[in-house]
Amino acid sequence: MTDGVNPPSNPRPQPAPGDGGYGFPPVPPAPAAGYGYPPGAPAPDSGYGYPPGAPAQGGGGGFGPAPQQWAQGLPDMGAPMPPGAPGGPGFPGTPGPFAPQPDQPDWEAMADRSAAEKRRKRLWMIGGAVTVLALLAGGGTFLLMGGDDKGGNEAVDDKESPTVSASPSPSGSKSKAPVDNTPTVKDDPTQIRDRSGKAPLKMGADTGVFPIDKRFEVRTKGNENSYAESEKRVVDTAKSFTVSARVWTRATKGRQIAVSQGNEKSFSFELGLDQVNGKPAWVFRVQTGDQGAEATAVTVTGESPKMEKTFSTLTGTYDAERKQIALYVNGKKTGEAPVPGVFQAQGPLELARSRHEDKWTAPWNGAMESVQTYASVLSPAQIDTLKPGRVDAKTKPTGSWLLY
């Protein structure tokens, strides 16, 4: 009963999910374990009440739409997840955020990474091989195109290209030591080294040795300080001998001697250039008298197509048995003459000058190389095959300078 003022005080109970009130559809009551799990059962892989493999619902985590009172001040938990997100459309069967993570590594991904690494290594190896081949090809081209460059050191206009290496490899057994082509004496660059004997040639102040391509040459200026000489006699003029030199002259004027030997009074022999009958000619001249008079000198001459600023090989011989001298120009005999003998002077061997009437005369203005002396007469065949920079293979020279 009421007192007519206040309405009855029995409040209506709040509807619960499953009663059908406030928009909740009638559903069976949840078992005692809660969240759809049977009592004591482990949580299935789908999580939060979903059967295994079942797609996640729009509310995520096994819930339906959020109750009205939960929505105040909170994000809409009932909103559908974006496509591709865990629990959203297009991502069926994905475990929830608290589902157990697999313990096994991703073997397929590891295999893909390993294969990619191998491919990268193969590409690096192929690229490296191509680069090496390109460098080798470029180096070979350089050697073919630039290996004959003489550089900027050549003051002499050498018209002949050298055909022999400056440092030839030894022939025969590989155990032989390399050939030493050093042009000067060790620790003394003012002396031209004797390659065959013990007679270095001391150079004057205006004389020098210069490298040219694969060889060396001595250069002289045609004055009194431009020469080279040995300390003692090299050629025994009482016996047969051969003297040879490869020479180059700046001009064919006057008398110029490349190689000579004598004493303080006169020469015994001289090899070089002179004026004969008003024309330049190559000469090999010997002195037969001890006074050094012009009347007792005997000369043989020769010519070559071009004598100025061109290398020519001059070779003079004396046959003591036959009492005869001869001159060869570039391997060919150009003249010979009989003699009663040769003056036996005991003086040193000279380059670029000669002794005449107690004076130094006939300075050489140019260059020379491959100077050689032999204590015998080389045959015409040996002289013809005597290559520039080399000595005769069958006969050891008594002295040799500036070989290559």
Side-chain angles (χ1 to χ4, degrees), residues 234-255:
V234 175
V235 178
D236 185 356
T237 57
K239 302 177 181 177
S240 298
F241 67 88
T242 299
V243 58
S244 180
R246 190 168 183 251
V247 300
W248 185 98
T249 181
R250 290 185 176 87
T252 56
K253 297 179 181 179
R255 181 169 171 245

Side-chain angles (χ1 to χ4, degrees), residues 48-290:
Y48 295 103
Y50 293 114
Q57 301 302 317
F63 290 109
Q68 183 73 20
Q69 61 269 30
W70 293 2
Q72 296 178 0
L74 296 172
D76 187 1
M77 301 300 293
M81 299 296 287
F91 214 100
T94 302
F98 300 101
Q101 298 300 315
D103 295 333
Q104 296 295 327
D106 191 344
W107 297 108
E108 184 176 355
M110 293 176 64
D112 291 343
R113 287 195 297 270
S114 178
E117 185 66 24
K118 289 181 179 179
R119 285 194 296 272
R120 282 194 296 271
K121 288 182 178 180
R122 283 199 299 270
L123 290 175
W124 276 107
M125 291 176 66
I126 292 173
V130 170
T131 302
V132 171
L133 290 175
L135 290 173
L136 290 175
T141 303
F142 170 78
L143 289 176
L144 289 175
M145 297 180 65
D148 196 35
D149 187 9
K150 293 184 179 180
N153 294 329
E154 184 170 6
V156 173
D157 184 14
D158 187 356
K159 300 299 183 180
E160 297 184 12
S161 299
T163 57
V164 185
S165 170
S167 299
S169 299
S171 60
S173 173
K174 294 182 179 180
S175 62
K176 292 183 179 179
V179 176
D180 183 7
N181 287 330
T182 306
T184 56
V185 175
K186 184 178 180 181
D187 300 327
D188 189 355
T190 66
Q191 295 193 68
I192 304 174
R193 185 170 70 97
D194 184 358
R195 293 276 300 275
S196 302
K198 298 180 180 180
L201 304 178
K202 182 71 174 181
M203 291 182 286
D206 291 340
T207 305
V209 173
F210 298 86
I212 299 297
D213 196 15
K214 299 178 181 180
R215 57 186 175 81
F216 295 90
E217 65 185 26
V218 59
R219 296 179 189 169
T220 55
K221 297 182 179 180
N223 60 42
E224 61 181 6
N225 295 319
S226 192
Y227 64 92
E229 67 178 359
S230 63
E231 185 178 355
K232 56 185 179 180
R233 186 185 70 176
V234 175
V235 178
D236 185 356
T237 57
K239 302 177 181 177
S240 298
F241 67 88
T242 299
V243 58
S244 180
R246 190 168 183 251
V247 300
W248 185 98
T249 181
R250 290 185 176 87
T252 56
K253 297 179 181 179
R255 181 169 171 245
Q256 302 180 53
I257 299 304
V259 187
S260 71
Q261 184 177 284
N263 60 12
E264 70 283 352
K265 187 174 182 65
S266 178
F267 65 90
S268 290
F269 69 84
E270 55 184 18
L271 180 69
L273 175 74
D274 202 354
Q275 304 298 308
V276 178
N277 298 326
K279 295 182 180 181
W282 302 120
V283 299
F284 178 54
R285 181 180 292 122
V286 297
Q287 178 57 256
T288 62
D290 58 2

Side-chain angles (χ1 to χ4, degrees), residues 343-391:
F343 170 49
Q344 300 180 27
Q346 302 298 316
L349 186 77
E350 303 283 344
L351 298 187
R353 65 181 182 178
S354 181
R355 196 73 173 172
H356 183 65
E357 296 181 353
D358 304 330
K359 297 178 181 179
W360 291 115
T361 62
W364 183 267
N365 185 10
M368 65 187 79
E369 62 175 47
S370 301
V371 180
Q372 307 167 47
T373 60
Y374 294 84
S376 62
V377 180
L378 296 185
S379 67
Q382 288 176 302
I383 294 172
D384 186 48
T385 59
L386 195 63
K387 303 297 181 182
R390 297 293 184 89
V391 298

